[in-house]
Amino acid sequence: VQEMLDSGEIDPESCWVVGDKLLDLEFGRRLGLPSSQCVLVSTGHGVEELEKLNEEERRALCSCEDLAAAAALIIGASSPGG
């Protein structure tokens, strides 16, 4: 993935990482994606992962109820004027 980003095959502004573990979000940040494009879903391990964070960390995190909500967020952000 990093090679594809580096070569320009993938536009980082159009990339998103969605996962149920904080490690998934760390992967996105290490690729250079902004935190707003790294989404933690509450399904799977997401609730357990949220419990590891303090209130300030939770507020700074982009999170969604489930994959459908994350998809809606991504589609909305990708739409003109989104």
Side-chain angles (χ1 to χ4, degrees):
V1 174
Q2 186 66 59
E3 287 178 22
M4 294 175 80
L5 285 166
D6 292 344
S7 71
E9 291 179 66
I10 298 176
D11 176 11
E13 292 185 21
S14 64
C15 292
W16 291 74
V17 171
V18 178
D20 67 342
K21 292 200 170 223
L22 295 172
L23 189 59
D24 300 329
L25 279 57
E26 180 63 25
F27 168 73
R29 285 193 289 273
R30 287 181 182 224
L31 289 174
L33 302 182
S35 295
S36 61
Q37 290 174 214
C38 300
V39 183
L40 183 72
V41 291
S42 295
T43 52
H45 299 281
V47 172
E48 296 166 16
E49 294 289 290
L50 282 170
E51 290 173 356
K52 295 177 183 178
L53 303 174
N54 65 40
E55 188 174 330
E56 184 178 327
E57 291 169 322
R58 274 186 238 136
R59 277 195 306 257
L61 186 70
C62 184
S63 63
C64 289
E65 179 92 15
D66 54 25
L67 191 54
L73 172 72
I74 294 166
I75 290 168
S78 301
S79 300

